[in-house]
């Protein structure tokens, strides 16, 4: 054994041991038929990413599970990798080359992609290096990238496969369009945000009449593309004018008033403008009524030639100009403040534009059926379970997935067009149009006409189209030579740890992909953790300036302090409210572990610590303290296993913290100091420390490894050691209760000393009234503990109540404790009397409340239970004070 340094130097230790673990291959996993596999695939961070608190929380949870399962005898594999992050990465590189006076269009596709690959080479591994700094036990030899050759093969294979099944199609639809990124977005990529806007009431003149019909709209600029006005057929206000013609203001185009059940008579005036090319609801309405589709915008959201006088203007500038022109013509009736939800690009936060565009889609309904069933049947379980309902609700209302993106960085669609045969039309589903060839490799000739004039589709696939294959494509699928053995052993994976915001983006789609291509679920459990927020509840973001950088915390407090603090304050499924001072918990705990281990190592004799615990336990008569700490360790370990197996990580951290600090350090080590050189004490100190280090390792890998190496220098890495197993025969609940009583008595004496300003070095005399014979016997047997830890020179044990002169009193575990001092008995009795009166008054109020039938009927059960518990505690306090009052002479 070696002694520890005075101070824990986490910077030196963290670098040393992570490199050792890597060098020794401790993170690597291979097929081992003697072990059960435990597998996690990392949610692949974007190559543009840098470590933030969300990453720190997510990956700490995964690392705890991987290390715990590895020590528990599983072949644990944590599959790492990164995502190419199409839109995000392209935006970053475009900003970079703009600074050099270039643009992607000036460079051209091939040259621009070279720039992106160069950027990825230079910066794309930043997040990986930071994950290593966090201590992540990933099998880095298996690291994947969603654009590497093997993975790209899987993506192309899936596209072609789904196309052949008729589950991928091309069609003209209203999609979410980002004018900034100039690409289509899926519904999940265009989250809606509530905004303060206006409802504009506009007069549309009836043809050959002085009358008007008034429509209400939030987007007056789109009126330039109106091709009808719609009313509900049941709306009596408009029955006479259905079928009549109105003149579209500013455009002088004639459009019809049509009827449709979709129109809500309660919205605005009950009459709505219909713009089929710029609104998803109007698109459907236009299809039903055979209306014209007039697109008035360019892809950058400036108005095109169909907008006539407003052509070339930005959409929002055009809105202002249109409002002014309507006012001048007397066609703007009124404007009202109006709150409404508007879609925004999830990457650049630009307001999206509903846009009629020809895109590629996946039919999701057929894929969703099996994915719903496996969750309903419990084959895939969500933790917390409330996310099951959220998942199923989304699945019930699932829409087709727009998978084409008008950018260059990503998997290019394996779609080719024959220039001679291909004639794009406006059909909704272009499933098998002549001249469209879907293939993994470029065809030499068109299969229809035989000509070689073929071009590839310019679009790339949505980033999530590659990510949904992650649990099996990372193993080399569909290449059987590469993947077959690994997939048989490691698939399906064990648990997915992720955040709530990508349940629909990623989790649901992975379940569908796994069932479609592997005929099995991709994972058994899904653990959804909360969002990391600041202490006021705001989500952390650069724009708000409330970010706490995990790397700064690591630099100041150490990785273990960061990890333990985060886990300790993260309840299952709840958001995390974070402030910098929260990390002091982990720092202080690290120091406590270090100092306790240092004390033990300084006092241990190696010869005294040898031997098997079970044999030692059977052959040795243990003291109360020795037997108690062993019992408490195994009780804690049993609860710890249950917490970890049910993903209650903060509970697990709390159990370890409570045991090590408040039981092992505060009590056992203090008691051990009384006979530190005895064989029993030495053996128990060693065993509890080394087993607790093993239990702490998944949470705090670096400090536990360093202490382990000093404690067992010849034993190898703690990572390779087995998880402690619960020894039920060492758990003694009766003995634990005895120790609890002893602790309460010592604490009570200490409190009485403090209340009466007795100096720590001064000895005191105590009388203890224990009418219960068993309790009295326990306290007599442990008298030396009380004397040493409470600084007591003499203890008198009483069987019956006695009145004393000059005592300060309290009650612990049903025993009356009398501290003999010279003090003002009258003042003490006056204080006690005042407390008795207050408690009696509170008891009366509680009893009246609990007798109130209306309260019992309306209050939730937990509230009533809480009130009953509070009443019981008040009555116990009253009994305690009355016992004290009797003992003090006036």
């Amino acid at each position: 054994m070696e002694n520890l340094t005075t101070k824990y130097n986490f910077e030196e230790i963290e670098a040393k041991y992570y490199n050792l673990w890597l060098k020794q291959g401790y993170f690597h996993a291979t097929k081992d038929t003697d072990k059960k596999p435990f597998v996690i695939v990392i949610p692949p961070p974007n190559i543009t990413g840098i470590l933030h608190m969300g990453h720190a929380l997510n990956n700490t949870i995964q690392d705890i599970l991987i290390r715990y399962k590895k020590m528990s005898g599983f072949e644990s594999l944590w599959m790492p990798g990164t995502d190419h992050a199409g839109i995000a990465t392209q935006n970053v590189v475009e900003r970079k080359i703009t600074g050099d006076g270039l643009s992607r269009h000036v460079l051209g596709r091939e040259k621009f992609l070279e720039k992106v690959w160069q950027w990825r080479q230079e910066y794309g591994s930043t997040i990986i290096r930071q994950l290593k700094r966090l201590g992540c036990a990933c099998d880095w030899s298996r690291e994947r990238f969603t654009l590497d050759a093997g993975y790209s093969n899987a993506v192309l294979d899936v596209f072609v496969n789904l196309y052949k099944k008729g589950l991928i199609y091309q069609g003209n639809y209203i999609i979410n369009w980002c004018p900034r990124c100039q690409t289509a977005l899926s519904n999940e990529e265009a989250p809606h945000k509530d905004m303060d806007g206006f409802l504009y009431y506009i007069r549309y003149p009836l043809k050959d009449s002085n009358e008007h019909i008034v429509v209400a709209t939030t987007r007056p600029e789109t009126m330039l593309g109106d091709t009808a006005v719609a009313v509900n057929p049941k709306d009596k206000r408009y029955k006479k004018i259905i079928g009549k013609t109105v003149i579209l203001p500013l455009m002088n185009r004639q459009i019809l008033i049509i009827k449709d059940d979709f129109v809500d008579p309660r919205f605005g005036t009950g009459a709505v403008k219909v713009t089929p090319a710029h609104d998803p609801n109007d698109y459907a309405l236009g299809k039903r009524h055979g209306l014209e589709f007039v697109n008035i915008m360019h892809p950058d959201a400036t108005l095109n030639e169909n907008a006539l006088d407003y052509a070339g203007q930005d959409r929002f500038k055009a809105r202002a100009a249109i409002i002014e022109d309507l006012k001048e013509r007397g066609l703007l009736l009124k404007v009202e403040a109006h709150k409404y939800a508007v879609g925004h690009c999830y990457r650049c936060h630009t307001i999206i534009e509903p846009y009629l565009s020809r895109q590629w889609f996946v039919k999701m309904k057929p894929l969703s059926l099996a994915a719903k069933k496996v969750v309903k049947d419990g084959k895939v379980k969500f933790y917390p379970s409330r996310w099951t309902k959220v998942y199923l609700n989304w699945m019930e209302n699932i829409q087709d997935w727009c998978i084409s993106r008008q950018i260059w960085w990503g998997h290019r669609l394996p779609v080719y067009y024959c220039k001679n045969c291909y004639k794009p039309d406006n059909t909704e589903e272009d499933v098998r149009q002549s001249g469209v060839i879907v293939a993994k490799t470029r065809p030499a000739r068109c299969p229809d006409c035989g000509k070689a004039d073929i071009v590839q589709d310019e679009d790339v696939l949505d980033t999530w189209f590659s990510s949904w294959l992650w649990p099996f494509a990372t193993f080399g699928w569909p290449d059987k030579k590469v993947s077959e053995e690994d997939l048989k052993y490691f698939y399906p994976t064990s648990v997915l740890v992720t955040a709530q915001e990508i349940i629909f983006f990623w989790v649901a789609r992975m379940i569908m992909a796994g069932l479609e291509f592997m005929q099995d679920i991709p994972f058994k459990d899904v653990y959804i953790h909360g969002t990391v927020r600041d202490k006021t509840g705001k989500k952390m973001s650069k724009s708000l300036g409330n970010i706490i950088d995990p790397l700064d915390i690591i630099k100041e407090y150490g990785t273990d302090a960061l990890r333990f603090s985060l886990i300790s304050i993260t309840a299952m499924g709840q958001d995390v409210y974070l402030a910098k001072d929260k990390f002091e918990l982990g720092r202080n705990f690290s120091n406590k572990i270090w100092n306790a281990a240092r004390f033990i190592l300084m006092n241990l004799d190696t010869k005294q610590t040898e031997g098997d615990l079970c044999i030692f336990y059977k052959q040795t008569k243990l003291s109360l303290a020795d037997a108690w700490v062993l019992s408490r360790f195994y009780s804690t370990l049993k609860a710890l296993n249950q917490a970890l197996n049910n993903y209650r990580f903060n509970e697990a951290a709390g159990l370890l913290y409570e045991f090590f600090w408040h039981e092992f350090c505060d009590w056992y080590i203090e008691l051990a100091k009384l006979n530190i050189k005895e064989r029993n004490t030495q053996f128990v100190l060693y065993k509890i420390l080394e087993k607790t280090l093993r239990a702490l390792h998944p949470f705090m890998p670096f400090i536990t490894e360093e202490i382990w190496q000093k404690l067992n220098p010849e034993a190898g890495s703690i990572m390779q050691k087995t998880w402690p197993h619960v020894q039920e025969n060492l758990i003694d609940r009766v003995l634990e209760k005895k120790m609890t009583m002893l602790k309460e008595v010592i604490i009570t004496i200490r409190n009485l000393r403090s209340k009466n300003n007795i100096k720590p070095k001064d000895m005191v005399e105590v009388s203890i009234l224990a009418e219960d014979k068993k309790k009295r016997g326990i306290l007599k047997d442990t008298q030396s503990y009380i004397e040493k830890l409470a600084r007591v020179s003499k203890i008198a044990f009483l069987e019956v109540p006695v009145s004393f002169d000059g005592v300060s009193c309290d009650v612990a575990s049903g025993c009356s404790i009398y501290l003999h001092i010279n003090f003002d008995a009258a003042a003490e009795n006056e204080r006690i009397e005042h407390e008795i009166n207050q408690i009696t008054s509170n008891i009366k109020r509680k009893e009246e409340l609990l007798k109130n039938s209306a309260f019992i009927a309306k209050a939730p059960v937990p509230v009533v239970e809480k009130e009953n518990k509070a009443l019981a505690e008040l009555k116990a306090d009253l009994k305690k004070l009355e016992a004290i009052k009797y003992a003090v002479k006036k």
Side-chain angles (χ1 to χ4, degrees):
M1 293 183 191
E2 299 176 41
N3 287 336
L4 294 171
T5 57
T6 306
K7 187 180 178 183
Y8 174 42
N9 185 344
F10 55 81
E11 287 180 333
E12 179 185 318
I13 286 166
E14 288 168 12
K16 176 175 73 174
Y17 286 118
Y18 197 83
N19 290 331
L20 172 71
W21 297 330
L22 282 175
K23 186 179 179 181
Q24 297 298 324
Y26 292 155
F27 302 156
H28 185 55
T30 54
K31 179 182 175 181
D32 185 341
T33 53
D34 292 332
K35 293 181 180 180
K36 289 182 179 180
F38 179 84
V39 188
I40 298 177
V41 289
I42 197 171
N46 294 346
I47 57 170
T48 57
I50 57 171
L51 192 72
H52 57 62
M53 279 300 174
H55 289 133
L57 172 62
N58 178 271
N59 288 284
T60 296
I61 291 169
Q62 293 176 83
D63 196 55
I64 288 170
L65 287 170
I66 286 292
R67 290 174 185 270
Y68 165 58
K69 290 295 184 177
K70 181 180 177 65
M71 296 175 79
S72 298
F74 290 79
E75 186 65 13
S76 293
L77 168 60
W78 189 3
M79 177 72 79
T82 50
D83 195 295
H84 67 278
I87 296 173
T89 304
Q90 179 155 317
N91 283 346
V92 168
V93 177
E94 282 196 73
R95 284 196 295 270
K96 185 176 185 296
I97 63 173
T98 298
D100 300 331
L102 298 170
S103 73
R104 67 176 169 118
H105 297 291
V106 169
L107 284 172
R109 186 174 194 129
E110 296 308 315
K111 290 289 184 184
F112 175 75
L113 289 177
E114 285 178 15
K115 293 281 186 185
V116 184
W117 279 106
Q118 286 170 12
W119 185 92
R120 188 250 172 177
Q121 190 70 26
E122 191 172 350
Y123 301 106
S125 297
T126 299
I127 187 70
I128 296 298
R129 290 195 299 272
Q130 292 169 340
L131 289 174
K132 290 178 179 178
R133 186 87 186 272
L134 191 65
C136 294
C138 297
D139 185 347
W140 298 110
S141 68
R142 294 176 179 267
E143 184 182 342
R144 299 304 302 267
F145 176 50
T146 53
L147 265 181
D148 66 31
Y151 203 100
S152 295
N153 180 52
V155 172
L156 298 179
D157 196 88
V158 164
F159 188 99
V160 173
N161 184 296
L162 291 176
Y163 181 80
K164 287 178 179 177
K165 288 186 174 183
L167 293 175
I168 283 183
Y169 65 92
Q170 188 183 31
N172 288 292
Y173 281 92
I174 287 281
I175 47 89
N176 302 298
W177 182 265
C178 175
R180 157 62 183 80
C181 300
Q182 292 204 24
T183 184
L185 302 171
S186 68
N187 291 336
E188 293 73 31
E189 292 171 319
H192 282 68
K193 299 177 184 178
D194 289 334
M195 294 183 66
D196 292 320
F198 298 97
L199 198 56
Y200 301 90
Y201 290 78
I202 304 169
R203 294 186 177 99
Y204 281 39
L206 269 67
K207 182 182 177 184
D208 300 327
S209 170
N210 293 325
E211 295 181 359
H212 300 78
I213 185 170
V214 178
V215 303
T217 180
T218 57
R219 300 163 64 218
E221 67 277 10
T222 62
M223 67 180 290
L224 307 181
D226 286 359
T227 55
V229 171
V231 297
N232 191 293
K234 296 176 183 176
D235 194 333
K236 295 178 182 179
R237 294 172 293 178
Y238 301 116
K239 277 190 177 294
K240 292 182 180 180
I241 60 171
I242 292 172
K244 291 195 174 182
T245 301
V246 297
I247 306 300
L248 180 61
L250 308 179
M251 302 299 284
N252 293 320
R253 189 164 67 238
Q254 295 184 17
I255 59 177
L256 285 176
I257 299 173
I258 62 174
K259 60 182 179 180
D260 195 286
D261 290 325
F262 175 78
V263 179
D264 182 358
R266 296 167 297 179
F267 177 78
T269 63
V272 297
K273 56 189 283 305
V274 183
T275 320
H278 292 280
D279 183 272
N281 296 320
D282 291 3
Y283 173 87
L285 199 150
K287 284 290 181 182
R288 286 197 296 274
H289 294 273
L291 300 177
E292 185 183 0
F293 287 68
V294 179
N295 186 346
I296 63 162
M297 287 189 194
H298 291 299
D300 64 356
T302 57
L303 273 56
N304 64 22
E305 65 279 3
N306 290 329
L308 300 182
D309 295 342
Y310 304 96
Q313 295 186 32
D314 172 77
R315 55 181 166 164
F316 297 123
K317 287 182 179 178
R319 177 183 296 182
I322 286 166
I323 293 303
E324 286 303 312
D325 290 346
L326 289 171
K327 281 181 185 177
E328 286 181 13
R329 290 164 173 75
L331 296 176
L332 185 66
L333 178 64
K334 62 178 178 176
V335 180
E336 291 179 346
H338 179 70
K339 278 189 177 292
Y340 64 125
V342 183
H344 287 69
C345 174
Y346 79 118
R347 280 296 171 199
C348 67
H349 310 296
T350 301
I351 293 176
I352 62 100
E353 192 64 39
Y355 197 66
L356 183 61
S357 179
R358 192 165 186 78
Q359 301 289 341
W360 287 86
F361 300 85
V362 177
K363 290 181 182 178
M364 300 301 278
K365 280 285 183 187
L367 295 171
S368 70
L369 299 177
K372 282 189 289 188
K373 189 174 188 302
V374 293
V375 172
K376 286 179 178 178
D377 292 348
K379 291 180 180 177
V380 176
K381 293 181 180 178
F382 282 84
Y383 295 83
S385 60
R386 68 173 183 272
W387 291 110
T388 304
K389 186 177 180 181
V390 175
Y391 169 90
L392 291 173
N393 284 344
W394 184 75
M395 282 294 197
E396 289 295 335
N397 300 291
I398 198 166
Q399 302 295 312
D400 285 356
W401 175 14
C402 178
I403 56 171
S404 46
R405 297 291 180 269
Q406 289 66 51
I407 58 174
W408 290 346
W409 175 246
H411 298 95
R412 196 166 175 181
L413 270 66
V415 177
Y416 303 86
Y417 303 106
C418 171
K419 287 187 175 182
N420 183 55
C421 299
Y422 178 61
K423 301 290 185 291
D425 58 26
N426 292 319
T427 55
E428 286 190 12
E429 292 190 22
D430 186 10
V431 180
R432 292 292 184 272
Q433 189 176 346
S434 177
V436 178
I437 308 145
V438 173
K440 289 176 71 173
T441 57
R442 185 186 186 90
R445 298 183 178 279
C446 173
D448 295 318
C449 71
K451 292 188 177 180
D453 197 1
I454 290 170
V455 294
Q456 186 173 359
D457 197 306
E458 292 286 324
D459 291 354
V460 302
L461 287 160
D462 177 12
T463 295
W464 298 102
F465 193 87
S466 50
S467 301
W468 75 325
L469 314 178
W470 191 248
F472 52 91
T474 46
F475 288 99
W477 181 94
D479 187 339
K480 287 188 177 181
K481 289 181 181 178
V482 176
S483 66
E484 191 167 19
E485 286 301 310
D486 269 354
L487 283 171
K488 279 182 182 177
Y489 183 67
F490 289 117
Y491 188 92
T493 67
S494 307
V495 59
L496 179 75
V497 178
T498 190
Q500 63 194 54
E501 54 263 29
I502 56 174
I503 291 176
F504 312 133
F505 277 124
W506 195 44
V507 179
R509 290 170 181 164
M510 280 193 290
I511 294 173
M512 287 185 263
L515 292 167
E516 176 68 18
F517 300 106
M518 297 297 297
Q519 291 75 52
D520 202 352
I521 56 174
F523 30 71
K524 302 175 186 74
D525 294 342
V526 181
Y527 177 78
I528 306 291
H529 59 74
T531 301
V532 178
R533 301 182 181 277
D534 69 13
K535 60 184 178 182
T536 67
K538 293 187 181 74
K539 192 171 181 178
M540 288 190 173
S541 69
K542 287 182 181 178
S543 59
L544 292 174
N546 61 351
I547 283 178
I548 301 174
D549 189 336
L551 296 173
D552 289 342
I553 300 299
I554 288 173
K555 189 174 180 181
E556 186 172 353
Y557 296 141
T559 298
D560 288 331
L562 170 82
R563 290 168 57 118
F564 194 83
S565 299
L566 270 178
I567 292 300
S568 295
I569 61 175
T570 305
M572 182 190 279
Q574 301 299 311
D575 287 349
V576 187
Y577 296 91
L578 206 55
K580 189 180 176 184
D581 59 9
K582 298 280 187 182
F583 295 100
E584 292 174 7
L585 179 148
R587 179 201 62 189
N588 295 343
F589 190 43
S590 296
N591 289 338
K592 189 71 174 179
I593 294 168
W594 187 261
N595 291 333
R598 183 168 177 268
F599 169 79
I600 293 169
L601 283 165
M602 287 169 64
N603 287 280
L604 281 185
D605 177 354
T606 307
K607 294 177 183 178
Q608 300 275 41
T609 63
E610 294 171 353
D612 181 83
L613 178 59
C614 291
I615 296 171
F616 170 81
Y617 182 75
K618 289 175 183 176
Q619 296 178 348
T620 309
K621 181 173 175 57
L622 296 178
S623 67
L624 173 65
D626 291 339
W628 167 76
V629 78
L630 288 167
S631 180
R632 285 304 305 136
F633 171 76
Y634 286 112
S635 293
T636 300
L637 181 63
K638 189 175 182 179
L640 176 64
N641 291 344
Q642 290 173 347
L644 286 173
N645 291 334
N646 288 283
Y647 308 111
R648 299 195 301 269
F649 299 102
N650 71 312
E651 182 183 322
L655 286 164
L656 287 166
Y657 182 92
E658 180 66 25
F659 171 75
F660 192 87
W661 192 312
H662 296 303
E663 294 181 322
F664 184 52
C665 292
D666 285 356
W667 289 98
Y668 183 72
I669 290 179
E670 292 304 309
L671 291 168
K673 288 176 182 177
L674 305 180
N675 41 23
I676 193 77
K677 297 302 179 184
E678 288 185 8
R679 151 76 172 163
N680 288 5
T681 303
Q682 291 261 315
F683 190 82
V684 172
L685 270 173
Y686 170 79
K687 287 295 182 182
I688 294 296
L689 178 60
E690 69 93 10
K691 289 176 186 296
T692 307
L693 287 174
R694 283 189 273 157
L696 277 165
H697 177 72
F699 298 82
M700 308 174 82
F702 295 108
I703 192 171
T704 52
E705 182 72 271
E706 173 68 0
I707 297 170
W708 179 267
Q709 294 298 329
K710 303 299 184 186
L711 188 66
N712 301 291
E714 305 300 322
S717 172
I718 194 172
M719 259 200 84
Q720 301 297 93
K721 300 303 150 188
T722 58
W723 186 256
H725 67 278
V726 177
Q727 298 192 41
E728 294 280 357
N729 62 311
L730 268 64
I731 297 175
D732 188 335
R733 302 296 185 195
V734 174
L735 183 144
E736 288 184 19
K737 287 180 180 179
K738 289 180 181 179
M739 189 65 186
T740 298
M741 183 179 77
L742 172 64
K743 286 161 61 182
E744 287 181 6
V745 168
I746 293 170
I747 290 168
T748 300
I749 297 172
R750 286 173 172 174
N751 289 341
L752 288 171
R753 290 177 61 107
S754 176
K755 187 177 79 172
N756 291 282
N757 299 314
I758 296 172
K759 294 177 182 178
K761 65 183 179 68
D762 293 342
M763 304 296 285
V764 294
E765 293 186 8
V766 169
S767 293
I768 300 176
L769 171 61
E771 296 180 81
D772 183 289
K773 188 177 180 180
K774 286 185 179 178
K775 289 182 179 180
R776 195 164 60 250
I778 293 167
L779 293 174
K780 281 184 176 181
D781 290 343
T782 57
Q783 182 173 343
S784 62
Y785 291 158
I786 300 171
E787 289 173 346
K788 296 291 185 183
L789 296 188
R791 301 288 293 165
V792 175
S793 59
K794 181 180 179 182
I795 302 176
F797 292 97
L798 309 174
E799 298 180 22
V800 294
V802 176
S803 292
F804 291 105
D805 287 318
V807 292
S808 183
C809 310
D810 208 335
V811 172
S813 294
C815 302
S816 297
I817 314 296
Y818 308 129
L819 181 67
H820 296 275
I821 56 174
N822 293 318
F823 78 118
D824 188 339
E828 178 71 359
N829 264 312
E830 187 177 334
R831 179 189 68 78
I832 294 169
E833 191 68 44
H834 177 70
E835 286 189 41
I836 287 173
N837 290 338
Q838 278 190 321
I839 290 174
T840 302
S841 178
N842 289 336
I843 287 172
K844 187 177 179 182
R845 280 197 297 272
K846 293 283 184 192
E847 286 177 336
E848 288 174 357
L849 179 66
L850 290 166
K851 287 176 184 176
N852 186 325
S853 57
F855 168 76
I856 298 298
K858 292 180 181 179
V861 172
V863 172
V864 177
E865 288 176 351
K866 186 178 178 182
E867 292 296 334
N868 274 311
K869 185 180 178 183
L871 177 61
E873 289 172 353
L874 285 169
K875 287 181 176 179
D877 288 343
L878 180 63
K879 185 177 180 182
K880 169 177 148 180
L881 286 167
E882 286 174 340
I884 292 171
K885 181 184 175 185
Y886 172 82
V888 182
K889 280 188 176 180
K890 294 182 180 178

